[in-house]
């Protein structure tokens, strides 16, 4: 099916791309925030879901894993479809499906229905989220683009914290006796409002030379991510049965097959799902190398911290969310000024962010050693402020560096690659450090010793980010 659109042309003959207004930027950022919030909001509700639906430990893990796996597997394809069929169209369709699947999640009568609905919700998110970066890339230039990308990076971190805070507040409120269900149902009115506003404020754009669907590449990318993420997310809960080990053994072969298929397709003049030429771009290549340990550390910190607050310090879902508030405020304020800092100091902002985050993690570990188990909001706040500042500096700048020089026709792919890396790294961090924390906290070390050790390890990861960030290109 061919869709014909009328594109304005400048008198010089250059195609005039529709500009993204401030209202349009706010609208697409709202759409992007929903999938990120829903990735984390479920963490604080898992104990309540367990009580209500009588789910097993493995099933509860699937409530989280089904969303994350579908999300990560389909992100790149979602970006490609937006390039081909129109980013505004895919944004609206993805937001509509995300709203619908959120409703199904909120009304799920049993654990199996919830798991399936979460997988569908993740697929809808994969259709929605890549369009946001593509719309920003296609509708902005120069400093406007830099500020918009900075806002997108800020949104990602803030939405992560809001997910924990909002989830805790909604579960604790138990609105009309609905228990955990409002954490999903709240998306419905927000999604409907977003659809109405987006139709008027979001400009349409698509690649001038859209790329076809790379079927083999899509299948092999899905196989690579599934063979890695499924066993890492489910292996520990299930006691590492043989099939989880088998999947991990298959992962490097699937990944190697994907790389070879993409390279051969590009060499033949075809349109690979992930063009190797994109990874040869210095900004993308070096940026993703830094992004992997950064998001691994961030995802695992959010998970371990949430578990410690509830199970180790017994603060409850609402108290746990409130303790994250200093971090959210510090992150938000830092993200607002990060573009000015990048304009003056370039990639050094990422280095500074990593150092400050590492310091915050060490202060947090020291606070736990000093006052456990009587830690209060005021004793945790200094460390949380430092962690918020560090992540605000590093995360927003990373998004700028990776995406600032991606060509317009590869905007959807660039956005998909970045968000796939982000989501895969978040899952890897939770799987590695979350499993380590779970094993240590139930052993002789207890929650205090396990928490202190993991915070120290995450500080080392933050310093690794600092070392790797020295090779980042200057985004100015």
């Amino acid at each position: 099916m061919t869709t014909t659109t009328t594109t304005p042309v400048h008198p010089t003959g250059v195609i005039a791309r529709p500009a993204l207004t401030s209202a349009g930027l706010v609208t697409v950022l709202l759409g992007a925030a929903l999938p990120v919030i829903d990735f984390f909001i479920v963490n604080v509700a898992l104990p309540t879901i367990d009580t209500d639906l009588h789910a097993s430990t493995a099933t509860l893990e699937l409530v989280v894993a089904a969303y994350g796996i579908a999300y990560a597997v389909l992100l790149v394809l979602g970006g490609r479809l937006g390039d081909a069929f129109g980013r505004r169209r895919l944004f609206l369709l993805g937001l509509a499906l995300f709203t619908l699947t959120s409703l199904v999640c909120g009304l799920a009568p049993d654990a199996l229905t919830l798991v399936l609905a979460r997988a569908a919700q993740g697929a809808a998110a994969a259709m929605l989220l890549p369009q946001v970066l593509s719309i920003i890339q296609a509708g902005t230039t120069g400093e406007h683009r830099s500020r918009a990308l900075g806002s997108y990076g800020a949104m990602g971190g803030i939405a992560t914290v809001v997910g924990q805070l909002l989830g805790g507040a909604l579960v604790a409120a138990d609105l009309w006796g609905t228990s955990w269900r409002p954490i999903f149902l709240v998306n419905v009115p927000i999604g409907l409002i977003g659809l109405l506003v987006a139709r008027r404020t979001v400009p349409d754009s698509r690649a001038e030379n859209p790329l076809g669907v790379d079927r083999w590449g899509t299948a092999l990318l899905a196989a690579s991510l599934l063979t890695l993420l499924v066993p890492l997310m489910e292996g520990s809960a299930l006691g590492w049965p043989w099939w989880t080990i088998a999947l991990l053994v298959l992962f490097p072969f699937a990944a190697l097959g994907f790389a070879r298929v993409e390279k051969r397709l590009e060499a033949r003049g075809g349109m690979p799902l992930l063009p190797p030429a994109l990874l040869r771009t210095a900004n993308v290549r070096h940026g993703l190398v830094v992004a992997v340990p950064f998001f691994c550390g961030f995802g695992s910190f959010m998970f371990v911290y949430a578990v410690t607050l509830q199970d180790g310090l017994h603060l409850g879902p609402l108290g746990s969310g409130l303790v994250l508030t200093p971090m959210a405020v510090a992150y938000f304020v830092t993200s607002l000024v990060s573009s000015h800092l990048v304009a003056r100091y370039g990639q050094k902002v990422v280095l500074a962010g990593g150092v400050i985050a590492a310091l915050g993690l060490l202060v947090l570990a020291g606070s736990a050693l000093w006052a456990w188990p009587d830690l209060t909001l005021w004793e945790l706040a200094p460390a949380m402020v430092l962690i918020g500042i560090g992540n605000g500096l590093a995360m927003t700048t990373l998004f700028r560096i990776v995406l600032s020089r991606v060509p317009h026709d590869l905007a959807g792919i660039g956005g998909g690659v970045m968000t796939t890396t982000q989501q895969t790294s978040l899952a890897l961090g939770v799987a590695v450090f979350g499993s380590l924390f779970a094993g240590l906290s139930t052993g002789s070390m207890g929650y205090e010793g396990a928490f202190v050790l993991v915070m120290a390890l995450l500080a080392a990861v933050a310093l690794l980010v600092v070392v790797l960030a020295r090779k980042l290109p200057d985004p100015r």
Side-chain angles (χ1 to χ4, degrees):
M1 178 178 177
T2 303
T3 303
T4 303
T5 59
T6 302
T7 305
V9 179
H10 192 271
T12 60
V14 178
I15 293 177
R17 296 181 178 276
L20 180 64
T21 64
S22 297
L25 177 61
V26 171
T27 303
V28 295
L29 290 180
L30 172 64
L34 289 176
V36 180
I37 289 173
D38 264 53
F39 188 88
F40 291 95
I41 199 172
V42 75
N43 285 343
V44 295
L46 287 176
T48 312
I49 293 174
D50 183 18
T51 301
D52 186 31
L53 300 182
H54 308 290
S56 65
T57 302
T59 303
L60 288 176
E61 290 287 337
L62 278 174
V63 170
V64 178
Y67 180 88
I69 292 171
Y71 193 10
V73 165
L74 297 174
L75 270 170
V76 175
L77 180 61
R80 176 69 62 86
L81 292 174
D83 284 347
F85 297 105
R87 292 146 186 164
R88 179 175 176 270
R89 177 184 296 179
L90 265 291
F91 177 86
L92 292 171
L93 180 59
L95 183 56
L97 292 175
F98 190 86
T99 303
L100 177 61
T101 52
S102 295
L103 177 63
V104 177
C105 286
L107 300 178
D110 52 53
L112 178 59
T113 303
L114 180 58
V115 169
L116 295 176
R118 283 283 285 173
Q121 191 185 35
M127 184 181 298
L128 166 65
L129 191 59
Q131 315 316 322
V132 176
L133 286 171
S134 301
I135 290 168
I136 290 174
Q137 289 285 95
T140 60
T141 57
E143 182 59 26
H144 185 198
R145 175 183 293 180
S146 178
R147 289 195 301 268
L149 290 174
S151 298
Y152 179 87
M155 176 280 305
I158 293 170
T160 300
V161 178
V162 168
Q164 305 270 10
L165 181 59
L166 181 62
L170 290 175
V171 173
D174 191 20
L175 299 172
W176 303 288
T178 53
S179 186
W180 53 272
R181 298 181 186 275
I183 68 172
F184 298 115
L185 295 178
V186 71
N187 294 335
V188 177
I190 296 174
L192 292 175
I193 294 171
L195 285 169
L196 293 174
V197 176
R199 294 180 65 86
R200 297 190 176 192
T201 61
V202 177
D204 195 14
S205 66
R206 67 187 67 202
E208 294 170 17
N209 299 297
L211 307 176
V213 175
D214 175 12
R215 295 180 179 84
W216 278 108
T218 301
L220 286 170
L221 176 62
S224 300
L225 294 177
L226 286 170
T227 53
L228 176 65
L229 295 179
V230 168
L232 288 180
M233 287 182 165
E234 288 296 289
S236 179
L238 297 176
W240 294 104
W242 67 268
W243 60 267
T244 59
I245 305 300
L247 286 177
L248 286 175
V249 171
L250 288 174
F251 163 68
F253 297 99
L256 180 61
F258 172 70
R260 288 185 174 179
V261 164
E262 299 300 274
K263 185 176 180 180
R264 289 175 182 174
L265 184 58
E266 184 180 64
R268 294 199 304 266
M271 303 298 180
L273 181 70
L274 175 55
L278 187 64
L279 295 181
R280 289 194 289 269
T281 304
N283 287 58
V284 175
R285 184 175 67 254
H286 292 300
L288 293 181
V289 167
V290 176
V292 170
F294 176 82
F295 286 113
C296 278
F298 185 75
S300 55
F301 168 75
M302 294 300 296
F303 177 80
V304 170
Y305 196 54
V307 172
T308 300
L309 293 174
Q310 292 187 69
D311 295 342
L313 298 176
H314 307 291
L315 295 181
L318 180 59
S320 301
L322 289 173
V323 170
L324 288 165
T325 303
M327 176 182 172
V329 172
Y331 187 102
F332 179 71
V333 172
T334 303
S335 65
L336 292 178
V337 302
S338 63
S339 61
H340 301 289
L341 295 174
V342 172
R344 182 171 183 178
Y345 299 107
Q347 78 277 23
K348 293 178 182 178
V349 174
V350 179
L351 280 72
V355 171
I356 295 172
L359 177 61
L361 290 164
L362 292 176
V363 170
L364 186 58
S367 299
L369 286 173
W370 178 263
W372 190 279
D374 300 317
L375 285 164
T376 66
L377 169 63
W378 305 111
E379 289 160 335
L380 293 169
M384 297 306 292
V385 169
L386 288 172
I387 294 171
I389 293 173
N391 283 307
L393 291 174
M395 191 183 301
T396 54
T397 309
L398 267 179
F399 274 97
R400 284 195 188 94
I401 290 173
V402 172
L403 300 171
S404 59
R405 302 218 166 102
V406 174
H408 284 295
D409 278 359
L410 296 179
I413 297 175
V417 169
M418 184 60 185
T419 45
T420 296
T421 302
Q422 180 185 28
Q423 295 304 317
T424 304
S425 301
L426 288 171
L428 279 173
V430 171
V432 174
F433 291 100
S435 297
L436 174 64
F437 175 77
L440 294 175
S441 62
T442 55
S444 58
M445 294 187 72
Y447 278 101
E448 178 187 359
F451 180 74
V452 170
L453 177 59
V454 171
M455 291 304 105
L457 292 175
L458 292 180
V461 173
L463 293 177
L464 173 62
V465 168
V466 173
V467 173
L468 296 174
R470 296 175 64 186
K471 293 185 179 182
L472 286 172
D474 195 319
R476 292 174 291 182

